[in-house]
Amino acid sequence: MKPDAPRPIPVTWRRKDLLGIQELSAEEITLLLDTARQFKEVGARDVKKVPALRGRTLVNFFVEPSTRTRTSFELAAMRLSADVVNISASSSSLVKGETLKDTALVLQANNVDIIVIRHGSAGAAQFLAERLDSSIINAGDGAHEHPTQALLDLFTIREKRGKIAGLHVAIVGDILFSRVARSNIWGLLKLGARVTLVGPSTLVPRVFERMGVRVVRRIDEILEEVDVINLLRIQHERQRRAYFPGLGEYVSLFGLTKERAHRLRSDCLIMHPGPINRGVEIDSDVADDPKHSVILDQVTNGLAVRMAALYLCDSHRGDHDAIQTNRRATA
Ligand code: CP
């Protein structure tokens, strides 16, 4: 199925910050996705750069490790002609005991326009957003939200399947500690998808059903019925005790093996936010299967989505119509 044709969305972006998907309306999410579609076209040009954020400065402030998100935000800012500085925890004065607030005030004193922050504590991005004039983009805060990951997942589903409403999406694995899962659940439900969570009771407690999703305990229950299957990594770094007996048992109950992948519908999309633990949540051959796997498309689309997030949050400074501005931004 071909993706929907572009159509104007009658909303204006008024937010200074992008902190989570929970707070966004379906119209705002759709505006972000439509803006990303326009910016994706920039990546196909010989000169992959537009002047939309010329004169703006952006700090990539990553207190937790990252490959995809950090690279993608840096490239997105460069393609929008912003000036970019990267700060990591180990190379900052955080290691000398400086607080997050003081670090952020130092950035603001340098007139930084946009701060992209990844932090191990839920609420870190909101903490900065409430105290600084700079736009704050949440690149992952603890187990709370990872909004641009959800947006790139939604973008990829819409691009590949032409729609999101009415699709059945399974999210498998460590939901309890996953900011990716929470942001995806909010986004998918707001855009009209059906969501089933799959995992052991320790990692997928029934309390998630209150969000409006179904919870099942075995991956074998859902293989034949889903349009999208999103495998999540076990987040050992956030777990303080053992949540399942061992990796062998986990693979036998929840791993997307080659045998299980054969039972998926012919048009089912296989997704993973990365980084992948090959042979655990997903078999290596399944992750690389060009027929079903869209894992690298997710990475590619992350760049366009992050260009859209940076561009729209910066646009709050002027009360202009986002659609008009998008046309100028991608010219
Ligand atoms: N998906 C994701 O956030 O990956 P990174 O940790 O590499 O940024």
Side-chain angles (χ1 to χ4, degrees), residues 124-262:
Q126 180 161 357
F127 177 84
L128 296 191
E130 287 169 359
R131 287 162 179 79
L132 303 185
D133 295 331
S134 314
S135 289
I136 306 297
I137 313 270
N138 183 6
D141 61 331
H144 176 225
E145 283 237 31
H146 191 348
T148 56
Q149 178 68 48
L151 289 166
L152 73 89
D153 292 340
L154 293 168
F155 186 97
T156 304
I157 295 170
R158 194 178 76 162
E159 184 180 62
K160 299 290 179 190
R161 297 298 302 265
K163 63 177 186 176
I164 291 170
L167 295 183
H168 184 186
V169 180
I171 307 176
V172 183
D174 179 359
I175 311 295
L176 185 62
F177 292 94
S178 175
R179 53 198 177 207
V180 174
R182 282 175 182 75
S183 291
N184 260 275
I185 292 167
W186 290 123
L188 287 163
L189 293 178
K190 283 170 193 268
L191 295 192
R194 194 154 56 96
V195 179
T196 298
L197 306 181
V198 185
S201 56
T202 47
L203 293 176
V204 192
R206 294 248 170 239
V207 69
F208 277 99
E209 288 173 339
R210 291 192 204 152
M211 293 177 79
V213 301
R214 181 167 71 124
V215 170
V216 304
R217 296 279 169 242
R218 296 176 71 91
I219 194 171
D220 292 303
E221 286 184 45
I222 52 90
L223 291 171
E224 287 88 356
E225 63 184 64
V226 293
D227 300 293
V228 179
I229 185 164
N230 194 352
L231 289 312
L232 301 184
R233 181 176 66 86
I234 305 293
Q235 309 231 356
H236 294 291
E237 70 274 23
R238 298 190 206 288
Q239 299 177 1
R240 294 211 171 88
R241 64 179 174 88
Y243 281 80
F244 49 88
L247 285 183
E249 172 146 332
Y250 184 86
V251 174
S252 74
L253 289 172
F254 305 108
L256 188 61
T257 59
K258 271 191 273 194
E259 295 70 31
R260 287 187 172 124
H262 281 130

Side-chain angles (χ1 to χ4, degrees), residues 36 70 310 321:
R70 180 172 163 161
L310 295 177
D321 179 86

Side-chain angles (χ1 to χ4, degrees), residues 8-27:
I9 304 294
V11 295
T12 301
W13 185 266
R14 297 193 186 280
R15 294 180 186 273
K16 172 174 88 69
D17 313 294
L18 177 60
L19 303 179
I21 301 295
Q22 184 178 8
E23 67 194 19
L24 301 183
S25 65
E27 289 74 22

Side-chain angles (χ1 to χ4, degrees), residues 62 65-71 118 139 146 149 152 179-180 233 272-275 306:
F62 277 63
S66 167
T67 297
R68 278 150 283 270
T69 314
R70 180 172 163 161
T71 308
R118 170 169 288 188
H146 191 348
Q149 178 68 48
L152 73 89
R179 53 198 177 207
V180 174
R233 181 176 66 86
H272 194 305
R306 287 169 179 130

Side-chain angles (χ1 to χ4, degrees), residues 49-64:
K49 204 158 181 144
V50 291
L53 294 191
R54 190 166 51 200
R56 301 285 195 229
T57 49
L58 178 143
V59 169
N60 245 344
F61 181 26
F62 277 63
V63 181
E64 280 193 333

